[in-house]
Amino acid sequence: MGMTLTEKILAKHAGLDRVEPGELINAKVDIAFSNDISAPISINEFYKSGATQVFDREKVVLVLDHFVPNKDIKSATQAKMLREFAKEQKLVHFYDSGEMGVEHALLPEKGIVLPGDLIIGGDSHTCTHGALGAFSTGVGSTDFAAVMVTGELWFRVPETMMFIYNGDLNPWVGGKDLILYTIGDIGVDGALYKAMEFAGPALKQLDMAGRLTMANMTTEAGAKNGIMEPDEITEAYVKERASRDYELMRGDPDANFVEIKEYDVSNIEPQVAYPHLPSNTRGISEVEEIPIDQVIIGSCTNGRLEDLRMAAKVLKGKKVSKETRLIIIPATTNIYRAALDEGLFETFLDAGAFISPPTCGPCLGGFMGILAEGERAVSTTNRNFVGRMGHPKSEVYLANPAVAAASAVAGKLAGPEEVV
Amino acid sequence: MKIEGKVWKFGDDIDTDQILPARYLNTSDPEELAKHCMEDADPSFADNVSESDIIVAGKYFGCGSSREHAPIAIKAVGVSCVIAKNYARIFYRNSFNMGLPILECEDTDAFNTGDRLSVDMETGEIIHLDSGKSYHFKPIPPFMQELIQSGGLMKHISQKIK
Ligand code: SF4
């Protein structure tokens, strides 16, 4: 019996010929990263253990993104702690204002995470990087501390579920819609503890941005990791960014999957996840008349240049409704600059949008767009739990950037065809 | 080890935003976090919970973000253990890595707020003290027991590097 791609990467990093689902292994980590809210606990634990140096200053990465630019004194204190630690440890990859971005957009963009890697991050959306053909999973602060000291971590080898997407994508449908549809089908714990592997001809119609969006939300189905086999699109993306060797690995043809699901994407229209679960999905043609107070376009899910272009396509020559606020947050400084150079900012500003520097900000109810009691938002982010973006009695509807932009123009939940 | 305590009952899919809302993530001080434990699920919890109380929930407790602040807050208010049908994976890792016992039991529908339970970690038995009925939970995997015995993951590691 062969191994799945996830099993192969884990076996390689554990120095084993093969691994079985359920097995507990100790594996070497290629890249370990964390951020301004998870790392402070890890840094305390690091020193408490008696360690003085990280295992490899090129492999431990810190990104300030959640509450940066510092939103208050407490978050400034946390950020300062990371700045000092990065300096003391001479970390090669430390990203702060000026060259910053949401970690899961920034790391692939900079070629820090690569195909074949074993990656851990002190953030649940670390599963994003599996889109490159890597094993990438989110861990807690103590796990990250342990890796900073030893360069290794314990893992339970997950079973793999295979998702195959056939057919041709409909207009305005992208990675966000495929993953929302899938989560709607299997539920928020539908892939609990498991690997979600994506394949099929429809994936060839997605660029890396769309693939990263899909892998990003595998944690919303409870998965340990999301993964896809690297192809020519992956290679073209990493070739110009990588500054170290990488391996384009594939699963064995006779690998064992606990479940195989097939979807015909020609049946999938733009999706909306209603409050308060990402699995609460329906097609845009089935939504009711729902007035919207705020629209957020950004985050590690849909804050990439391709997403901003999609939003601009809808917003070109249009005005945001007087009843609605539109906040656009490019996910990294590079994306911000590219969007500016391409003239997207002009479209956004003409439409009446507010443009924020890269930050997680409102995605986790931090700052830069908090919802009051009773307010409703359409957001391109990944979570719509109770209180996620502010008041416990506010509501978040998850959607792709085109639906978000259209809703901003319409002042209510709306699909792009209704406004373009 | 035996634990005895009073039940605080919660439903399915209690995510980390309800356990410890992100608006309080600008600190990792356990005492500060304790003040807001379970705030968006039950605002009265943090003020009324007492030492050794037990959180009981349905399926998929701790889903959502990777924040270790969630199990830290639960531990800091003095909760002795959590019993749920199952857990989100990072929450599961985090709890064991820091020594908060969390148990998987299918029968949590039988327990309600205010009930008294006695939990035996070794035998995997839960006794519902008000009715005398007994229930069982999945034994903790040996590797996790090892982690708990060495006092959590970091203690385990610092023993190794010394
Ligand atoms: S953008 Fe949102 S989901 Fe992504 S890392 Fe930041 S807070 Fe988490």
Side-chain angles (χ1 to χ4, degrees):
Chain A
M1 179 71 71
M3 288 188 286
T4 67
L5 178 54
T6 294
E7 290 158 12
K8 274 184 139 171
I9 297 175
L10 287 173
K12 182 183 155 196
H13 287 80
L16 299 168
D17 290 334
R18 63 171 298 120
V19 294
E20 304 278 348
E23 199 175 331
L24 283 160
I25 57 163
N26 219 37
K28 286 208 176 347
V29 171
D30 293 308
I31 289 291
F33 65 90
S34 192
N35 57 55
D36 52 316
I37 59 174
S38 295
I41 301 177
S42 313
I43 292 171
N44 282 334
E45 290 293 329
F46 174 84
Y47 289 126
K48 265 203 273 173
S49 76
T52 52
Q53 264 190 331
V54 298
F55 82 103
D56 187 331
R57 65 188 192 91
E58 290 188 35
K59 295 182 173 176
V60 174
V61 179
L62 289 180
V63 182
L64 302 186
D65 55 4
H66 279 66
F67 292 159
V68 171
N70 307 143
K71 86 173 176 102
D72 56 20
I73 294 172
K74 280 181 178 166
S75 48
T77 309
Q78 288 191 324
K80 186 174 169 209
M81 186 174 174
L82 267 67
R83 292 183 179 118
E84 286 171 355
F85 184 77
K87 208 165 174 188
E88 177 201 289
Q89 295 292 324
K90 302 192 173 61
L91 299 187
V92 176
H93 299 293
F94 173 65
Y95 299 97
D96 198 351
S97 62
E99 197 187 13
M100 71 181 295
V102 178
E103 53 205 287
H104 313 301
L106 189 70
L107 268 51
E109 177 189 287
K110 296 223 168 278
I112 294 167
V113 287
L114 293 169
D117 279 355
L118 193 158
I119 303 153
I120 62 108
D123 188 275
S124 55
H125 291 102
T126 305
C127 47
T128 311
H129 313 284
L132 297 164
F135 175 86
S136 190
T137 192
V139 297
S141 298
T142 303
D143 285 311
F144 179 68
V147 176
M148 283 203 288
V149 179
T150 64
E152 297 178 1
L153 194 60
W154 64 272
F155 297 95
R156 179 189 165 281
V157 179
E159 291 83 13
T160 300
M161 287 171 89
M162 171 60 96
F163 297 82
I164 299 168
Y165 299 85
N166 299 309
D168 289 325
L169 292 174
N170 285 315
W172 306 108
V173 169
K176 182 62 161 288
D177 306 291
L178 301 192
I179 191 64
L180 282 176
Y181 186 87
T182 306
I183 297 167
D185 181 43
I186 66 172
V188 288
D189 53 0
L192 189 57
Y193 303 128
K194 300 191 181 78
M196 289 174 82
E197 183 167 340
F198 301 111
L203 289 193
K204 301 278 171 204
Q205 299 156 48
L206 293 180
D207 48 29
M208 277 318 295
R211 295 175 180 195
L212 289 159
T213 304
M214 288 187 77
N216 175 269
M217 288 194 70
T218 52
T219 189
E220 266 64 65
K224 182 180 208 114
N225 65 309
I227 198 163
M228 356 196 149
E229 274 188 2
D231 61 6
E232 53 300 332
I233 296 172
T234 326
E235 225 186 325
Y237 181 88
V238 294
K239 218 169 37 200
E240 55 180 37
R241 302 162 196 267
S243 56
R244 61 183 165 91
D245 291 340
Y246 56 89
E247 192 183 346
L248 301 170
M249 292 174 70
R250 285 176 209 299
D252 296 322
D254 57 344
N256 188 35
F257 299 102
V258 280
E259 206 178 335
I260 298 176
K261 291 223 158 229
E262 290 206 47
Y263 300 106
D264 180 354
V265 302
S266 63
N267 297 328
I268 299 178
E269 56 169 337
Q271 300 287 304
V272 178
Y274 270 44
H276 291 285
L277 283 178
S279 57
N280 223 347
T281 54
R282 59 179 84 176
I284 189 72
S285 64
E286 290 157 32
V287 303
E288 301 122 331
E289 177 102 7
I290 294 176
I292 295 299
D293 303 288
Q294 181 170 290
V295 172
I296 302 278
I297 299 177
S299 86
C300 60
T301 318
N302 285 118
R304 297 184 181 80
L305 188 58
E306 293 78 356
D307 300 311
L308 301 187
R309 285 185 187 139
M310 199 188 213
K313 220 163 124 183
V314 175
L315 290 169
K316 185 100 198 154
K318 302 277 180 329
K319 286 272 182 229
V320 172
S321 159
K322 287 267 175 277
E323 307 297 321
T324 309
R325 302 138 355 221
L326 170 60
I327 302 172
I328 297 181
I329 313 175
T332 70
T333 313
N334 274 332
I335 296 168
Y336 190 98
R337 180 179 287 270
L340 182 67
D341 292 347
E342 279 184 24
L344 304 184
F345 277 17
E346 209 179 316
T347 304
F348 297 153
L349 292 170
D350 285 348
F354 172 90
I355 303 172
S356 155
T359 180
C360 292
C363 172
L364 77 163
F367 66 136
M368 288 276 182
I370 303 303
L371 298 174
E373 178 169 1
E375 288 194 319
R376 294 197 187 90
V378 174
S379 177
T380 68
T381 54
N382 45 38
R383 288 194 173 133
N384 56 353
F385 300 144
V386 172
R388 173 73 178 177
M389 281 196 163
H391 196 280
K393 288 201 180 107
S394 60
E395 294 184 349
V396 178
Y397 296 76
L398 304 175
N400 75 28
V403 171
S407 302
V409 172
K412 64 181 177 84
L413 200 49
E417 318 243 283
E418 291 172 56
V419 303
V420 170
Chain B
M1 188 173 86
K2 261 200 185 147
I3 291 169
E4 220 181 282
K6 193 169 87 282
V7 170
W8 287 81
K9 179 71 180 290
F10 296 90
D12 290 340
D13 303 320
I14 298 290
D15 59 78
T16 53
D17 281 301
Q18 294 180 67
I19 301 172
L20 202 279
R23 54 187 180 274
Y24 306 119
L25 291 183
N26 53 8
T27 177
S28 57
D29 174 15
E31 272 180 40
E32 273 293 310
L33 296 175
K35 288 184 203 155
H36 306 291
C37 186
M38 307 303 291
E39 189 168 299
D40 285 359
D42 178 353
S44 74
F45 178 83
D47 288 337
N48 295 301
V49 66
S50 23
E51 198 74 21
S52 89
D53 280 0
I54 296 171
I55 287 179
V56 175
K59 69 176 178 65
Y60 208 28
F61 189 81
C63 58
S65 88
S66 67
R67 66 190 69 153
E68 214 154 283
H69 311 69
I72 290 177
I74 292 176
K75 223 183 150 194
V77 291
V79 162
S80 57
C81 74
V82 181
I83 309 173
K85 288 182 185 163
N86 59 23
Y87 298 88
R89 48 164 290 276
I90 302 180
F91 184 86
Y92 190 79
R93 280 189 84 96
N94 286 346
S95 300
F96 280 99
N97 280 346
M98 70 172 51
L100 170 71
I102 65 172
L103 313 174
E104 286 185 283
C105 172
E106 273 304 315
D107 304 312
T108 59
D109 292 342
F111 310 141
N112 290 304
T113 296
D115 293 359
R116 297 199 61 82
L117 302 180
S118 158
V119 180
D120 190 324
M121 293 290 169
E122 269 95 55
T123 62
E125 192 181 29
I126 301 171
I127 297 174
H128 186 261
L129 295 172
D130 308 277
S131 68
K133 276 197 194 148
S134 120
Y135 301 86
H136 290 272
F137 59 86
K138 274 192 214 157
I140 300 169
F143 179 78
M144 308 291 192
Q145 285 179 25
E146 252 174 63
L147 275 187
I148 288 182
Q149 270 158 20
S150 25
L153 183 62
M154 290 314 286
K155 292 236 174 77
H156 187 66
I157 281 169
S158 62
Q159 283 158 12
K160 271 206 290 194
I161 63 171
K162 265 171 198 153

